Amino acid sequence: MDVPLGHFDTAAPAPDRLDELTAPVADAVRHWSGTVPAEQLVYVDTDPQWADTATFVEHYGRELLEQSANCVVVAGKRGGDTTLAACVVLSTTRVDVNGVVRRQLGARKASFASMDTATGQTGMEYGGITPIGLPGGWPVLVDAAVVDLPYVLVGSGRRRGKLLVPGKAFADLPGAVVLDGLGVV
């Protein structure tokens, strides 16, 4: 299969590779209802030793740096309540946790969730968390720059493998809120 970006030996429509995805991600792909057909979500097999962004782009294509996004889990706190949310920003930026995220969640304090919380609540592996297949009711904050790209490389729920997703599909995710300035340099 030809892939829209990068240099990958193995690629297939994500619905054909559900066995390579974690259960929540596979379930989300299986029940996909966005404006982009599920067949346009592409699973690419990658070696976990190249999972971190810097080594990944060296191995699979430098153009991926400008077309990759990170998905991080944040916790917003107000009083005794904690709201978990996902933030999706280009890999060349960082999440504005104390500004945009805190205000969007109506939180007094916002911070990155611990690794145990992020993996335990999502059912995904650390370093492979993706906005596809997150728990119901979670806000999914997406930087507008991600939505504007033709295709974006994101995690697959595991450290092995990635998903190539049309940028506009992120706006269709359950709980998605597209925000300008979520990712800052």
Side-chain angles (χ1 to χ4, degrees):
M1 169 179 201
D2 288 334
V3 293
L5 55 108
H7 311 286
F8 302 99
D9 294 331
T10 306
D16 295 345
R17 299 302 298 268
L18 297 177
D19 57 323
E20 298 293 336
L21 305 172
T22 59
V25 179
D27 192 50
V29 171
R30 189 178 296 111
H31 298 102
W32 186 260
S33 62
T35 57
V36 172
E39 292 71 28
Q40 288 185 20
L41 309 178
V42 178
Y43 173 84
V44 292
D45 189 38
T46 60
D47 191 320
Q49 74 174 328
W50 309 116
D52 295 317
T53 303
T55 56
F56 188 89
V57 298
E58 286 298 323
H59 190 78
Y60 293 106
R62 293 207 63 45
E63 73 277 9
L64 294 171
L65 184 60
E66 302 294 325
Q67 299 171 351
S68 296
N70 293 323
C71 179
V72 296
V73 178
V74 296
K77 297 178 182 176
R78 184 173 218 36
D81 295 330
T82 299
T83 300
L84 293 176
C87 297
V88 184
V89 299
L90 295 177
S91 62
T92 54
T93 65
R94 59 183 172 74
V95 177
D96 183 6
V97 175
N98 292 313
V100 175
V101 172
R102 186 181 57 75
R103 285 189 300 274
Q104 183 65 34
L105 297 180
R108 186 168 178 84
K109 180 182 178 192
S111 60
F112 294 103
S114 71
M115 181 173 65
D116 288 343
T117 297
T119 57
Q121 293 293 314
T122 63
M124 300 178 200
E125 294 176 6
Y126 191 74
I129 294 176
T130 182
I132 298 170
L134 291 169
W138 275 31
V140 179
L141 311 181
V142 182
D143 189 274
V146 172
V147 176
D148 290 342
L149 289 174
Y151 267 87
V152 180
L153 180 87
V154 292
S156 67
R158 299 175 56 209
R159 283 185 65 83
R160 175 173 208 105
K162 301 282 186 188
L163 293 173
L164 298 172
V165 179
K168 62 186 175 184
F170 292 97
D172 292 339
L173 292 172
V177 178
V178 179
L179 300 167
D180 288 318
L182 177 62
V184 294
V185 180

